[in-house]
Amino acid sequence: MSALREFGSGVAVLGRGLRLWGTSPRLMLLGAVPALIVGAVFVALLVLVNGQADDLAVVLTPFADRWPEWGQVLVRVGVGVAVSLLAVLLAVVTFTAVTLLVGDPFYERIWRHVEQSEGDAPADVEQGFWRGVLRSAGDSVRLLLATAAVGTCLFVGGFVPVVGQTLVPVLGALTGGWFLAVELTGFALDARGRSLRQRRAALAANRWRTLGFGTATWLSFFVPLGAVVVMPAAVAGATLLARDAAREQDARGKIQELTPPSS
């Protein structure tokens, strides 16, 4: 299957999650409440940062003060975009982690509902409330650090004329989509005993499908009230994505066990 078709199939997974609004509206409304509360705080913070993006661009580019006006505008627009992109990238991934933490009981119900509806749900694992919270928080911090590292590279790319205004935003959306997918599949893959590293490996085996799901989710967050509507659907879609990824990972593992080592 081509990369484009795989990407489209990932977008369709989010669509399957959105269908739950029609079949289980009460459950989805519960999942929308944490997203609404956390989203209001993050939108206010983003408005504050983006309002200062132009001023920050001037402060960060003193070397352009003596350039022709068109050169100043081009570079500073790129840097302003990069500042906003870095803030948005960190905010969306952080928003997802905080919302999942705040709304953990609601999103766990959505995840479990999808697992039971699809069949072959994993057995409940008793790991204790605080142990589960600490593990989830630890994974979120590691993902946030990775996001910050990639975001910094994209921020630097914003200084490059033309590239900073065209390629960098596209890479930002794909990067944000990837980290969102890794974060959102935590419920389903943790229940199957996957560590964060194994979670990334399972999703990377079908990278374009993962990117399709994650990027569609990422972009939907920029629609007014999109995060509120999509967040519970994204948990449902991520469960479907994770089930397929885990099944394929297990199949590959069995094939490797049956394959005799080469002499």
Side-chain angles (χ1 to χ4, degrees):
M1 186 178 292
S2 68
L4 186 60
R5 289 182 62 187
E6 281 291 312
F7 190 92
S9 70
V11 176
V13 171
L14 178 60
R16 291 174 64 189
L18 286 168
R19 291 177 193 168
L20 279 182
W21 276 104
T23 58
S24 304
R26 182 176 297 180
L27 183 63
M28 298 297 274
L29 280 172
L30 288 174
V33 172
L36 180 62
I37 296 171
V38 178
V41 175
F42 273 77
V43 166
L45 292 174
L46 274 177
V47 169
L48 180 63
V49 171
N50 288 331
Q52 303 297 320
D54 291 341
D55 294 336
L56 286 172
V58 174
V59 171
L60 293 170
T61 57
F63 54 83
D65 288 343
R66 296 183 180 180
W67 288 13
E69 184 176 354
W70 66 268
Q72 291 183 25
V73 171
L74 187 62
V75 169
R76 284 172 177 166
V77 166
V79 174
V81 170
V83 169
S84 297
L85 178 62
L86 179 59
V88 168
L89 185 64
L90 293 175
V92 171
V93 175
T94 308
F95 161 80
T96 304
V98 173
T99 304
L100 289 175
L101 186 62
V102 172
D104 181 81
F106 305 131
Y107 296 124
E108 186 169 352
R109 287 179 64 181
I110 293 173
W111 157 66
R112 181 59 66 183
H113 174 82
V114 174
E115 292 279 17
Q116 292 173 348
S117 298
E118 294 293 315
D120 194 27
D124 291 331
V125 179
E126 292 294 335
Q127 59 175 349
F129 174 77
W130 288 111
R131 183 178 179 183
V133 168
L134 289 174
R135 178 179 178 181
S136 177
D139 287 350
S140 296
V141 169
R142 290 166 63 187
L143 283 171
L144 184 59
L145 291 175
T147 305
V150 174
T152 300
C153 295
L154 294 174
F155 172 77
V156 173
F159 286 82
V160 181
V162 182
V163 172
Q165 297 81 51
T166 54
L167 184 59
V168 168
V170 174
L171 290 176
L174 292 173
T175 300
W178 169 258
F179 286 117
L180 274 185
V182 175
E183 184 75 61
L184 288 164
T185 52
F187 283 112
L189 291 179
D190 281 351
R192 290 168 170 78
R194 263 63 167 188
S195 65
L196 178 58
R197 177 178 295 180
Q198 291 170 327
R199 196 192 312 172
R200 288 194 298 245
L203 295 173
N206 209 330
R207 188 177 301 275
W208 284 107
R209 189 169 188 235
T210 302
L211 285 174
F213 166 78
T215 304
T217 304
W218 164 274
L219 293 175
S220 68
F221 281 6
F222 296 97
V223 177
L225 295 179
V228 177
V229 175
V230 172
M231 188 65 192
V235 173
T239 303
L240 297 171
L241 184 72
R243 286 170 58 88
D244 290 343
R247 191 180 301 114
E248 292 170 7
Q249 190 178 48
D250 290 341
R252 288 193 300 272
K254 290 180 180 178
I255 291 175
Q256 289 177 355
E257 290 177 2
L258 296 173
T259 302
S262 56
S263 55

